[in-house]
Amino acid sequence: MAPRLQLEKAAWRWAETVKPEDITHEHIEIAYRIAVPACKRGACRRNCKGNPNCLVGIGEQSWLGEIDENAFHNIDDPNSERRDKNTFVGLTNLGATCYVNTFLQVWFHNLELRRALYIFQNSRAEGHNTDSNYEPRTICEHLQYLFALLQNSNRRYIDPSGLVKALGLDTGQQQDAQEFSKLFLSLLEDTLSKQKDPNLQNVIQQQFCGQFSYVTVCNKCGRESPLPSRFYELELNIQGHKNLTECITEFLKEEKLDGDNCYFCESCQSKQNATRRIKLQSLPRTLNFQLMRFVFDRQSGHKKKLNTFISFPEVLDMGPFLEGKEEKCMYELSAVLIHRGVSAYSGHYIAHVRDAHTNDWYKFNDEEIEKMEGKKLQLGIEEDIAETAKSQTRKPKCSKGYHCSRNAYMLVYKRQTEEGDQTETTVEVPAFLQQLVDQDNKKFEEWCNEMADMRKQSVDKGKAKHEEVKELYELLPAEDDQSYEFVPLEWLKKWLDDSTAIKEIDNSHFLCSHGKLHPDKIGETKRISLKAAQVLFNRYGGGPRLDRSSLCRECVAQRCRVLRLKNQLNEDYREVTNLSKASLKSDESGFWIGKASLRSWRQLALDQLEEDEEETKHNNSKVNGEKTNSPAAKADGGKGDKEEGDGEEMKNFNEDILCHHGGLSILESERRLVSTEVWNKLRMYFPRAPEFTHHHEPCQQCMDTEVLYIVPLYFVDEWRKFIRRPAKSNPVSSVGNSILLCPHGGFMFTYDSMLHGDAQHIALLWPAEWDLISRMFLVDQAISICRIHDRTQDNGNVQYKTQPDLCRECREGFIFQQQRDMREYAQATVYIRKVIDKKTMIKESAPEFSVSGSDVEDERDEPKIDGEKDPDFSESEVGAKRQKLDETVYLSTAVMTVSAKSSIRRSTRHRKLRGEKALIVSANQTLKELKIQIMHAFSVAPFDQNLSIEGRCLTDDSATLGSLGVIPESIICLKADEPIADYAAMDDVYQVCMPEEGFKGTGLLGH
């Protein structure tokens, strides 16, 4: 038994032998657990809520140990944001902008480009007033300012959002890094070409632009046809290759043009066989190699990543590849751009860059920058990340001076300079830009000082609080025979946890109806010494003060009486249970008892015994001793969220066999006969319960009902909302039956339509209910349905007639409109049910029907017998459950049954099964689009989905749902093929289903 329950049991064990009138003060103190020993530190892991003397585990640990200054604040050390000496500055990843950050770092380390950008004419920056914030406008201004910050900022990392915003990039969408590089350099070249300074005009061409020619040679006449072209990077195919040299060789290899692909020779004036190759004419200072890792897969129809290992040298001789030049053309590796991940549509970009000044290698990973040891490029860690279950290719051994990577997608080589032509490795920031950097550094230092001051204030306040709490906590325990008071446990916890916002002490929640401490609330309070209580109340205020005189004798006596009766109740319960099992003799008289009452009579008896005690309990929704009399509380039976096992409310014993007229219910299946001995036992606890002997006749009014009345379901729903939450809902004043009538005043629904579930917007009322409704509300039009027997023939035929009569013309139009809505709909719901081996994963239950379509007040349907009669028109044993509106008005929530010929069927409402999912679709939506929705909901790729509806397979992906016969509320069965083991492939499928926008609409394309 839990310690709390043990304490509860021990506190009231004396009640078994002591009568309420014999209670002493000693018994009262035992009930309030005054003498329970206090727990020692380390004896219990958490606070004992059942022990008012336990002051352990309420948050005191952090105050009694050594002082930890970090516990007094939640402010990080601002110096952790400061740039370390001799390190580079990182760039913030704004969501999915790692591809932008990698190229910015590579271009920043291109000293010639950085130097050229610094001399870019920027009149706005030069004339900027340092009293205001500098906001660049053009791309060059942004890049210029960003490079200056990367060079001389005091911050560990800076925010590139200004440049990203100016380019119009979506920070949440990862883009193709290669395409970004091309477009950005093209935009930068176009901007710089308009400058007057020739060093600026041609800087992009000088740094990145080379020339090659497409040379076509006619096999017949030998005529060469060169087509010169410029390039900013060489795109190399890596499929089937092992090293960079092989890739370059294939890029330059000769191509044969023959057959249908013959070349038209200008000299021969006819199509001839020919050869074509690329000849490199000149190379730029910075040579970029794009390794084509992302290729189109024809089988899957989408892009994939090639995780092929490619080796590349630290020093590359491009002389053998240049046309007509035999001298050496040496390039040195300066940067490697890495794509982490196995998918072409996701992953992470980082850059390894060599510092031109020190020749040290650094890894740039957004905000984080790591210096490589030994001045060597190290890619091993990056290669391990891409390993998957499918691709366990062993990394090949690399020769000295070579590196090997399966994730490198771009290699940057810088041309080696002659010994006498060494490039300057330092770049000075212009004064006007340095002024802007200094302004930003000043803001950063102010922020650091502000954070440091806030940390210091919090620490000083925490230390003072620490001493105060430590001293006061030692005063809390109340010694034996010492005066004491009670304070809330939660308040003590907040006092020990929160050092700033301490509210006043509030003991009002613990008062009984006598204005004293309720025994049930002792577990929520703690007993402390009078001296400690004086300090706390003087410092924080509050009340009422609860001391030794606040122990309530009346509540203890009442609990004692209840406990003694409970002990007797258990014996009577066992006896009634045994007696109820015996069948009545034929000559023995009995009494009718509701089955629900018999199941829950012990709880009802307990409720009755504790009714007086309920008045003494205090909660947030009542004033002391006040009962709840609101309509909403009555509707809920005063039980709040508590429900009986069968879903019905049960307030008074045997009320479940009363009909709405106050007589014996005609529903014999809801009651049973018990012996006189059982009844007498129960009468002891329920003297005012309704009593019916087994000879008592059922209510004649219910048996003679021939007419039911119709109201809109909307009225019932709105009334229910009001009685459940009167403060949040508007009261209902009228019944608008006219919405159920056509413009000619005729009724719109037939008996057959109700039988087949078409009339989902009506509710049926008993005559007595209608009588009350019509008196309490304004009714614009009475609508009823009556049963007409064929008296001439005794064949049991029954007809139904509505008043007003059915308007057949409008009924046909209504049906036509319904059928049209089934074909032309938007934002409708369909249900996807996943199946395995043609059997649903979830056991299907028969559909439930309800004319009222009540909210989720699910009923437990008793088994039906074929041929049973309509309960609303005859003496059926099956009946409607009722929702109580107030003490006098009830509404039927269901009129049954489905199997009876003369029944009125409850309206159809889909009952979603466990695991089934609802999707919102439109009639003009294609099946392929639906499959994409299903993929998001069930993680099943479209090509693994087998869909069917009512046994009919749905296969045409281009067809609309309307043309495939998918109507609102349809149930579509999904059978999935074997799931995809490669989650990267699933990610590819997801991305392919979404149209690729690329850089459309961004500043890179001039928008």
Side-chain angles (χ1 to χ4, degrees), residues 693-878:
T693 64
H694 74 287
H695 298 297
H696 200 284
E697 293 292 333
C699 176
Q700 193 63 37
Q701 287 179 270
C702 291
M703 296 174 64
D704 293 339
T705 299
E706 296 284 342
V707 178
L708 288 180
Y709 289 86
I710 298 173
V711 295
L713 178 59
Y714 174 79
F715 162 76
V716 179
D717 289 341
E718 289 300 306
W719 175 244
R720 282 201 184 105
K721 289 179 185 176
F722 173 69
I723 60 173
R724 287 171 183 162
R725 296 181 180 85
K728 296 182 179 181
S729 305
N730 295 323
V732 184
S733 59
S734 62
V735 181
N737 272 350
S738 58
I739 64 174
L740 302 177
L741 303 179
C742 71
H744 311 112
F747 191 50
M748 293 289 291
F749 304 100
T750 64
Y751 166 74
D752 288 334
S753 73
M754 289 186 250
L755 185 66
H756 293 96
D758 290 338
Q760 300 181 19
H761 308 293
I762 66 172
L764 301 181
L765 306 182
W766 296 92
E769 291 173 336
W770 172 253
D771 183 55
L772 286 170
I773 291 294
S774 59
R775 284 191 282 110
M776 294 175 62
F777 300 94
L778 295 174
V779 182
D780 54 1
Q781 172 70 53
I783 304 176
S784 63
I785 179 172
C786 62
R787 183 177 59 181
I788 303 173
H789 291 279
D790 190 348
R791 305 292 185 184
T792 60
Q793 300 182 12
D794 190 16
N795 55 10
N797 287 342
V798 177
Q799 295 182 349
Y800 296 90
K801 180 176 176 60
T802 61
Q803 183 63 38
D805 291 334
L806 176 72
C807 179
R808 299 193 178 278
E809 179 183 353
C810 293
R811 173 66 185 169
E812 290 176 0
F814 177 73
I815 293 173
F816 176 78
Q817 184 62 39
Q818 275 188 322
Q819 293 173 346
R820 181 178 178 182
D821 292 342
M822 288 296 183
R823 297 189 305 268
E824 304 174 3
Y825 55 86
Q827 300 296 306
T829 302
V830 298
Y831 300 92
I832 310 300
R833 186 173 297 172
K834 194 173 182 181
V835 299
I836 297 178
D837 295 330
K838 298 184 179 179
K839 294 183 180 179
T840 56
M841 293 173 62
I842 312 300
K843 183 179 178 182
E844 294 192 28
S845 58
E848 293 266 350
F849 298 92
S850 170
V851 166
S852 68
S854 60
D855 296 336
V856 188
E857 300 165 353
D858 293 337
E859 309 153 25
R860 292 187 177 181
D861 295 337
E862 300 291 335
K864 310 295 188 302
I865 303 173
D866 289 342
E868 61 189 1
K869 304 298 182 182
D870 185 352
D872 294 319
F873 292 100
S874 64
E875 303 176 28
S876 169
E877 294 183 357
V878 184

Side-chain angles (χ1 to χ4, degrees), residues 552-570:
C552 184
R553 172 182 288 272
E554 290 84 354
C555 288
V556 173
Q558 176 69 358
R559 172 61 62 82
C560 176
R561 184 181 71 84
V562 170
L563 289 174
R564 292 173 64 84
L565 287 174
K566 281 182 180 178
N567 292 335
Q568 179 65 34
L569 174 62
N570 289 333

Side-chain angles (χ1 to χ4, degrees), residues 148-186:
L149 288 174
L150 284 174
Q151 184 166 338
N152 287 341
S153 176
N154 291 342
R155 302 177 188 267
R156 189 167 65 88
Y157 51 85
I158 59 175
D159 184 356
S161 56
L163 174 64
V164 172
K165 186 177 180 181
L167 293 172
L169 301 178
D170 182 356
T171 58
Q173 180 70 38
Q174 185 157 283
Q175 299 283 11
D176 186 290
Q178 179 185 1
E179 185 182 4
F180 169 75
S181 171
K182 288 181 179 179
L183 293 174
F184 187 86
L185 288 178
S186 175

